[in-house]
Amino acid sequence: MLEYLRNAADKPVAKILIGLLAFSFVGWGVAEWIFGGAASDTTLVRVGDSEVDVQQFSMAKASELAKMTREQQREFYADPVAVRALNDKVLSDLTTQAMVENRADDLGFVVTDARIANEIRDFPEFQLNGRFSSYLFDTVLSNTGYTEAGFANFLRSQILRSYVLGAMSLPVPVPDFAVVAAYDARYAQRQIDYVTVDFSDFKVGNPTEENLKEFYAKNPHTVPEQRTVSYVLIQADMDKPDSYDEGYNKAISIEDDIIAGDAMSVTANRNKAKYVSLGTFDAENRPVDSILNDKMMNVIFGMEEGTESEIIETKQGFVIVRVDKVIPAHNAEFEKVKDSLVAGWKREEQRKQAYVKANELLMDLNKNGSLKGAKDVTVSRASGAPADLLLAAFNSEVGGNSIVPGTDEFYVLHVEKEITPKPESKKMEELRKELQNMSAREIMDDYNSFLIREYPVKVNEKVFNRFFAK
């Protein structure tokens, strides 16, 4: 048993979260599997005076993987984007913890062995009949892969984190005047007058070819990037180990044949796999095919012309995709899109005439102080008029006149007056809490920026690239 447990103080302290002990490390040993044979220097990043090494990364990643089901893990490993995202998250969390420990050391914070002993004795998971059980302690640590020293260090780092960042979680007082100002800004209403000038109210004739050429010069039609794609599917029951292994071995054989220079269709036929030519398509208009989910589209549009993907796991089996051709985005030829330009030209002409009309109404309003045919409404920031008009109404000065562009219309707007809201205690209290949270986040962001400046992160490029290079 730990020596400091025998001499521990009796005073109870706040519990440290035991989330990492709620599961067994299904990925335990990942460090040896991934990093075995690496050079003696296993430091991934240096943070100030401390380091984050391969073993720390392995343990932290294993804990994240243990939270997933087996099916989720299988999907995870089949998705390179998800793997990189988890690697980034784990390394970021470890880097943040290293910054915190650096700061705690500079501030002279110390966590004694007696404090750690009290924390360990106080965990319900280590107690039997209300008393600390060394048997439960050893069993839980054995199941999670922790050593006694390793778990003690974990607790020490969590306590130091609370010392350094604890103040950041305290509510930030917000002065009453700030709450009142925010309340008035959010719940105030405005009385406005406005007229809608619809584009569709104006009739225009048919354009000449010269009109269309001028319009197309200002509004070119871009053909998005297109790709010609084919793939081979090695069907397998992914939930049955024998079928999975058989399919995977066949996929490796097909992959080897393709690398050796065989055509994908030929090697697929030879291995009794399914070959599919998807044809040419862009990212927004994919063919109807069961393998073309969003993840697969990301893979396809991230590949270079003439290359094949690695073996990809799907629900149907194993897939190898080939991008046969890439057609870059380009402007379409005028003759091919000429007919489709007519509607756009007509709408632009209607828009011009609508603006002329709206400008006439605005000039009359400025001169005579009246807006013929106007609607008189009271609006809030969220209701009472079209969204474009609401935004303009609260961004304009009281008494101001303006033309507000909409999607298919122009609005001529006059802001008559502002209506101050009546105070409501419940809404005021909710807004105060919201402002407190916003202030707390801003303080935390500033403090994080300070830590980054004070304890710069330096990546060990040699080790990092060895294990995380694409």
Side-chain angles (χ1 to χ4, degrees), residues 212-285:
L212 292 179
K213 287 182 177 179
E214 292 178 2
F215 177 75
Y216 186 61
K218 297 177 181 177
N219 304 276
H221 178 73
T222 301
V223 179
E225 178 184 296
Q226 297 176 308
R227 295 186 170 225
T228 305
V229 178
S230 55
Y231 72 85
V232 57
L233 169 64
I234 303 91
Q235 295 177 324
D237 190 335
M238 305 299 278
D239 294 325
K240 294 181 179 179
D242 290 344
S243 179
Y244 180 96
D245 291 341
E246 181 182 353
Y248 184 67
N249 290 333
K250 185 182 290 186
I252 292 176
S253 177
I254 292 174
E255 184 179 47
D256 290 342
D257 289 345
I258 293 172
I259 293 173
D262 288 353
M264 182 178 283
S265 58
V266 173
T267 187
N269 183 61
R270 183 167 57 241
N271 288 274
K272 297 181 180 179
K274 182 181 180 181
Y275 172 76
V276 177
S277 176
L278 293 172
T280 303
F281 57 91
D282 60 63
E284 299 300 324
N285 298 282

Side-chain angles (χ1 to χ4, degrees), residues 14 16 21 51 57 74 96 130 148 184 192 214 246 354 362 367 372 389 421:
I16 299 294
L21 295 177
E51 299 175 347
F57 176 86
R74 181 172 293 172
T96 299
E148 292 180 350
D184 288 345
I192 64 172
E214 292 178 2
E246 181 182 353
L362 178 62
K367 181 179 180 180
K372 186 177 180 180
L389 196 56

